Amino acid sequence: MTTTTDTTTALPFETEWELGRLPLLWARALDTADATVLEGLLIDDVVVDMTPATSKIGLEFPVLEGRDTVIPTMIGAVGPLDTMHAVSNVTARGLGDGYLVEAYALAQHHLPGEGPDVTATRHAMMGNTWSFLVRATPSGPRVARFTMDCRWMEGDPTVLLAAIS
């Protein structure tokens, strides 16, 4: 993981380690439908904006505001699906009073119960970029804003709506 601050000075190891874990924990929370992991990552007034990605693949998904909206919406939309998010290329840098953490996420989505079924061909696989604006809090770094953009898409994007339709 490459880390620099605005002045290209290395971040302290503990900070680098905590920041690098955020995208991994985000992915884990979605793949396991674990609301408690997601809750531990977010500030109360978090904003989740996936419109850069969803608009590119023909879906409408609102910008989510507040932990009490984000957690049940994200867990409700992704949790029931058979998913696997692989996260890589994590970078972190200082940004004003917080940090910017960016990562690549390869996300495979299948309808509930169909992930291991080799005859099930309806799926949605996405190559995304994730950006996390992170604030330092007394409890450690917490996500203030998450933005997702889609670099490429394969399959049926409506699979992503299956759990909320």
Side-chain angles (χ1 to χ4, degrees):
M1 178 168 80
T2 304
T3 59
T4 59
T5 63
D6 290 336
T7 60
T8 68
T9 316
L11 293 172
F13 176 78
E14 295 81 11
T15 304
E16 178 181 344
W17 186 81
E18 280 187 280
L19 293 172
R21 289 191 53 197
L22 288 175
L24 302 174
L25 290 169
W26 183 274
R28 180 76 176 167
L30 296 177
D31 287 341
T32 61
D34 192 335
T36 58
V37 171
L38 200 55
E39 183 177 341
L41 296 175
L42 309 176
I43 64 169
D44 288 337
D45 60 346
V46 64
V47 174
V48 170
D49 184 1
M50 296 186 295
T51 60
T54 56
S55 64
K56 287 179 181 176
I57 62 173
L59 299 177
E60 290 185 23
F61 197 83
V63 175
L64 305 174
E65 296 184 28
R67 185 189 304 172
D68 293 340
T69 299
V70 168
I71 294 170
T73 303
M74 295 297 293
I75 297 299
V78 181
L81 301 175
D82 289 349
T83 65
M84 182 174 284
H85 292 77
V87 179
S88 68
N89 296 39
V90 179
T91 61
R93 63 184 170 98
L95 187 66
D97 65 346
Y99 307 95
L100 174 64
V101 178
E102 297 175 302
Y104 293 163
L106 179 62
Q108 179 71 303
H109 307 83
H110 285 272
L111 296 171
E114 291 187 8
D117 182 352
V118 296
T119 64
T121 59
R122 187 170 170 220
H123 70 279
M125 184 151 78
M126 300 175 73
N128 297 317
T129 54
W130 288 356
S131 296
F132 299 85
L133 291 177
V134 179
R135 287 191 200 148
T137 74
S139 302
R142 297 294 182 262
V143 177
R145 184 178 184 90
F146 169 77
T147 305
M148 183 175 83
D149 198 358
C150 180
R151 302 290 295 269
W152 56 267
M153 167 81 193
E154 173 187 296
D156 180 356
T158 63
V159 167
L160 301 169
L161 302 175
I164 56 176
S165 298

